[in-house]
Amino acid sequence: MSLRHALLAILTVEPMTGYDLVKYFDGTVAFVWSAPHSQIYPELRRMEADGLVEATVVPRGQRAQKRVYEITETGVEELRRWVGELHLLEPERDPARLQAVYFEWSTYALIRRQLQEHLNHYTAYRDRWQRFLGDIDARQVALLQRRLKRASPAQQPAIAAFKRFAFEGEVARAEAEIRWAAAGLELLDHLESSGVQLVGESPLTSWLASR
Amino acid sequence: MSLRHALLAILTVEPMTGYDLVKYFDGTVAFVWSAPHSQIYPELRRMEADGLVEATVVPRGQRAQKRVYEITETGVEELRRWVGELHLLEPERDPARLQAVYFEWSTYALIRRQLQEHLNHYTAYRDRWQRFLGDIDARQVALLQRRLKRASPAQQPAIAAFKRFAFEGEVARAEAEIRWAAAGLELLDHLESSGVQLVGESPLTSWLASR
DNA sequence: GTAGTCATGTAAGAGGTTACATGATTAG
DNA sequence: CTAATCATGTAACCTCTTACATGACTAC
């Protein structure tokens, strides 16, 4: 139940609406944990029922209202419990890698397209994170600024350092994926120039006949 | 629906029972795609209903029976379609990284335990894959051997090369995680010796008072 | 007025986890 | 005979995706 804890963590900065939380998820948080609004609103209601947050209904203009959520003492306790909890790592389930295991069923052109897309995606991803690391160092991240303002001076270095550390992990992961895709493109060139056939290039009937 | 395609890919080697497929998933396949038997058996039934596989009921001993699944022509077509399909990369959702973003809520001891566990897990993971890469090169992998036997000589190099390539990606990912966790442990030493406090070390009341 | 933003939901369905459940076969 | 292995399911529950749905507020 990490969505719940991501929400709790953001709410330690200040009380906010579900809509605000949706925005943070669509912005920076989505790089480590993404969630659509259809998941966030019901979860906030459940968290309220469980006493982790408290909602205050606030008027908005003439007729409309909004629900501002504030983390409770129970909520902070739950966040502390979760963040100290030992999470066993989850089973791998990576469609891109699974597809790569069986690339021989595809064609050179389609594998190139796939690996190029992989490379582009992780390059954009890495660049975006790297800019974000700069923003952390310059204290230009809105949530972080407000978080630091409420913390005692002796705690401030840790707060920024762990955010940096986590996002450095994402950058490293992206770089590993970039190198992997580039190596794959080289492998393709090598195989193709060596005249190696792919199963996916030959007609289906030839494989069926070989059974 | 990658489970379905992982099953199809394994069934291109030879017809087998659900139990055999479960074993392959618990063995090597689980490193790129894991699935429990409670997911595999119903999926095979659905694939049968969709015409991707055909089951033959075979007697086993005196009274018992087993269902041997064979991939159909439609199944091979579907595998070829899927492996050539462009998969957009999925949203990130990484509990370990999310936890790291909020490590300040924990304690030095608990973070060390978490990062050490991360390091141990990925070290074991990398070692296991690295041995497996050796097995691929030596053609000592049962499924791969049988797969190669059915392929034409011009196709054999690609089949082994792509498996190697995919698992090299897993090794690279594991190594990036090992370096990340090691850097985290160093960061902790540095913060702690600099006298930096964590929010999680101080009593809950002090944080509540600061609001 | 109208477009963009603020704001909050519901619901069907896919995919995955965990637990419960059963029974035959084979090797020692 | 007994333990390990072979073999196959069901079911409740959780999480996440995708689509449908609505309406007020604000700046131009």
Side-chain angles (χ1 to χ4, degrees):
Chain A
M1 265 205 296
S2 294
L3 170 60
R4 167 167 295 207
H5 300 100
L7 293 169
L8 284 176
I10 301 172
L11 285 171
T12 61
V13 176
E14 62 192 24
M16 58 183 89
T17 64
Y19 188 80
D20 293 326
L21 287 158
V22 169
K23 270 192 306 176
Y24 288 124
F25 268 82
D26 290 347
T28 56
V29 182
F31 274 89
V32 279
W33 201 275
S34 83
H37 78 274
S38 62
Q39 219 187 337
I40 291 172
Y41 287 114
E43 184 62 28
L44 284 168
R45 291 288 185 158
R46 280 190 292 268
M47 288 162 73
E48 193 186 359
D50 293 344
L52 303 174
V53 296
E54 260 170 26
T56 313
V57 176
V58 169
R60 174 170 71 99
Q62 298 300 302
R63 267 174 299 277
Q65 294 183 324
K66 58 181 177 179
R67 297 172 64 80
V68 176
Y69 289 94
E70 182 173 8
I71 191 168
T72 63
E73 190 176 329
T74 312
V76 178
E77 270 167 20
E78 172 57 20
L79 174 62
R80 286 160 69 118
R81 190 199 61 71
W82 171 81
V83 81
E85 197 185 30
L86 191 61
H87 294 286
L88 295 188
L89 289 156
E90 287 174 11
E92 299 291 320
R93 201 166 284 117
D94 186 333
R97 216 80 83 194
L98 179 65
Q99 209 183 16
V101 176
Y102 301 110
F103 267 165
E104 75 255 20
W105 292 96
S106 189
T107 65
Y108 282 109
L110 289 172
I111 302 171
R112 280 208 180 84
R113 185 181 67 153
Q114 184 69 38
L115 289 176
Q116 193 58 56
E117 185 57 38
H118 197 87
L119 205 152
N120 294 345
H121 175 270
Y122 281 106
T123 302
Y125 188 93
R126 181 204 52 192
D127 292 347
R128 194 156 152 196
W129 269 133
Q130 225 142 30
R131 279 196 298 277
F132 190 67
L133 286 179
D135 293 344
I136 290 176
D137 293 339
R139 304 288 188 268
Q140 281 169 353
V141 181
L143 262 184
L144 178 60
Q145 268 180 11
R146 279 173 276 166
R147 175 85 181 81
L148 289 173
K149 210 177 285 176
R150 297 164 156 265
S152 78
Q155 293 175 347
Q156 287 167 3
I159 294 169
F162 288 134
K163 311 242 167 322
R164 190 169 220 297
F165 168 60
F167 302 143
E168 276 167 354
E170 294 296 290
V171 170
R173 169 155 161 62
E175 277 168 352
E177 293 300 331
I178 291 166
R179 283 193 299 272
W180 180 69
L185 289 168
E186 274 182 46
L187 172 63
L188 284 182
D189 290 344
H190 175 253
L191 289 174
E192 195 170 24
S193 63
S194 308
V196 173
Q197 279 176 28
L198 302 191
V199 186
E201 309 272 11
S202 40
L204 182 56
T205 48
S206 73
W207 185 81
L208 293 169
S210 77
R211 283 201 293 187
Chain B
M1 264 206 298
S2 294
L3 170 60
R4 166 166 294 204
H5 299 100
L7 293 170
L8 284 176
I10 301 172
L11 286 171
T12 61
V13 175
E14 63 193 22
M16 58 184 90
T17 64
Y19 188 81
D20 293 327
L21 288 158
V22 169
K23 271 192 307 178
Y24 288 125
F25 268 82
D26 290 347
T28 55
V29 181
F31 274 88
V32 279
W33 201 273
S34 84
H37 78 275
S38 62
Q39 220 188 337
I40 291 172
Y41 287 114
E43 184 61 28
L44 285 168
R45 292 286 185 158
R46 280 190 292 268
M47 288 162 73
E48 192 185 359
D50 293 345
L52 303 175
V53 295
E54 260 170 25
T56 313
V57 176
V58 169
R60 173 171 73 97
Q62 298 301 301
R63 268 173 299 277
Q65 294 183 325
K66 59 181 177 180
R67 296 172 65 80
V68 176
Y69 290 95
E70 183 174 8
I71 192 167
T72 63
E73 189 176 331
T74 312
V76 178
E77 270 166 19
E78 172 57 19
L79 175 63
R80 285 160 71 117
R81 190 198 61 71
W82 171 79
V83 82
E85 196 184 30
L86 191 62
H87 294 286
L88 295 187
L89 288 156
E90 288 175 9
E92 299 291 320
R93 202 166 282 120
D94 186 332
R97 214 80 83 195
L98 179 65
Q99 209 183 15
V101 177
Y102 301 109
F103 267 164
E104 76 256 20
W105 292 96
S106 189
T107 64
Y108 283 109
L110 289 172
I111 303 171
R112 280 207 180 85
R113 186 181 65 154
Q114 183 70 39
L115 289 176
Q116 193 60 56
E117 186 56 39
H118 197 88
L119 206 152
N120 294 344
H121 176 271
Y122 280 107
T123 302
Y125 188 93
R126 180 205 52 192
D127 292 348
R128 194 156 153 198
W129 268 135
Q130 224 142 31
R131 278 196 300 277
F132 190 68
L133 286 179
D135 292 345
I136 290 177
D137 294 340
R139 303 288 188 267
Q140 281 169 354
V141 182
L143 264 183
L144 178 60
Q145 269 180 10
R146 278 173 277 165
R147 174 84 181 82
L148 290 172
K149 210 178 284 176
R150 296 163 158 266
S152 79
Q155 293 175 347
Q156 287 167 2
I159 294 168
F162 288 134
K163 311 245 167 321
R164 190 169 219 296
F165 167 61
F167 302 144
E168 276 168 354
E170 294 297 289
V171 169
R173 168 155 161 64
E175 277 168 351
E177 293 300 332
I178 291 166
R179 282 192 300 272
W180 180 69
L185 289 168
E186 273 183 46
L187 171 64
L188 284 183
D189 290 344
H190 175 254
L191 290 174
E192 195 170 24
S193 63
S194 308
V196 173
Q197 278 177 30
L198 302 191
V199 187
E201 308 272 12
S202 42
L204 182 57
T205 48
S206 73
W207 185 81
L208 293 168
S210 77
R211 285 200 292 186

